[in-house]
Amino acid sequence: MSVENFLYLGTVYLTIIIGFGLIYLLFNLIGLPLLKEVNTHHRNNIFETSFYFSAMTLFSVGNGDVLPQGIGRIIAVIEALIGYTLPAAFVAKVMLNREK
């Protein structure tokens, strides 16, 4: 794996985290919160929570301290699916390019 491939994968992950984080954030800003923090005595700001949840969902960590609600569950499932399939697609791409 080259440094170029590593940077490409990192850029793709970062773009997905920011994109889905913005979705969670924008829904909250229009008055339809998609995320609920379990630990209410230590409330983080919505910016931090949105991007944190996006990263935890994409990387399949899921600590359980922030939960999706309503349509946020469907959005989280889509993001998790991308998180599961992205590494396989990346490995397939690298292997196909290697054979050429």
Side-chain angles (χ1 to χ4, degrees):
M1 185 162 124
S2 68
V3 173
E4 179 182 315
N5 285 337
F6 181 74
L7 291 175
Y8 175 74
L9 184 62
T11 303
V12 170
Y13 271 119
L14 188 60
T15 302
I16 294 169
I17 289 170
I18 291 171
F20 277 93
L22 286 173
I23 291 171
Y24 300 124
L25 178 64
L26 290 174
F27 269 93
N28 192 11
L29 292 176
I30 64 171
L32 298 168
L34 301 180
L35 304 176
K36 179 180 178 184
E37 290 190 65
V38 174
N39 189 5
T40 56
H41 68 272
H42 176 18
R43 295 186 68 78
N44 297 318
N45 67 32
I46 189 60
F47 295 98
E48 180 183 337
T49 301
S50 296
F51 295 106
Y52 167 79
F53 179 76
S54 179
M56 292 296 107
T57 302
L58 184 66
F59 295 127
S60 304
V61 175
N63 292 332
D65 53 345
V66 180
L67 301 174
Q69 56 186 8
I71 195 170
R73 291 178 175 188
I74 295 169
I75 296 170
V77 166
I78 292 169
E79 185 177 10
L81 181 63
I82 292 170
Y84 279 124
T85 58
L86 191 61
F90 181 74
V91 169
K93 180 184 181 291
V94 168
M95 295 307 287
L96 287 174
N97 286 344
R98 191 174 179 184
E99 291 177 2
K100 291 180 182 181

